[in-house]
Amino acid sequence: MTGSIAPVVWTFALDEDEDWVPSREPAGDENLRRAVETLLLGIASAEAAETYLAAWHADSQQWGSGFSLATSSATAERVSTETVRLIDLYGQFQDCDIAADEFGAMLQGYVAAAQAAEK
């Protein structure tokens, strides 16, 4: 197999209501974008984002898979070492899967965006 697959990059912008709006490049399924947006509604500050990311990494190290970490709006469940399932709590999106590496990179990008916005 030749060639390479471009990495997925998540970016974040604040809307007029000061809510974070994620976007994914290359563009993905709108349901996944809504799932990420809904999860992040429960992580509204840089400090909260750092805490969530640290807890995610700690649980990944300790458990590998088979754990979940919720916000007030959605749950992320590590269903395998390769897959995270985003679970809707209030009818905002359909439950969906995201690659674990992509999920971790998305969280790191969100932390960076939240930190930059608070400076």
Side-chain angles (χ1 to χ4, degrees), residues 39-114:
L39 179 76
L40 298 181
L41 285 173
I43 310 172
S45 69
E47 182 178 358
E50 292 168 5
T51 300
Y52 189 93
L53 179 61
W56 185 261
H57 283 310
D59 286 353
S60 293
Q61 288 294 319
Q62 182 174 1
W63 306 108
S65 64
F67 68 90
S68 63
L69 190 60
T71 70
S72 59
S73 51
T75 297
E77 179 182 0
R78 186 80 180 252
V79 295
S80 72
T81 56
E82 295 85 24
T83 305
V84 174
R85 180 161 296 133
L86 300 177
I87 301 168
D88 181 38
L89 299 178
Y90 300 107
Q92 302 300 309
F93 62 91
Q94 293 180 4
D95 295 356
C96 57
D97 292 347
I98 182 172
D101 290 344
E102 181 180 348
F103 183 76
M106 178 276 297
L107 287 176
Q108 290 174 337
Y110 178 62
V111 167

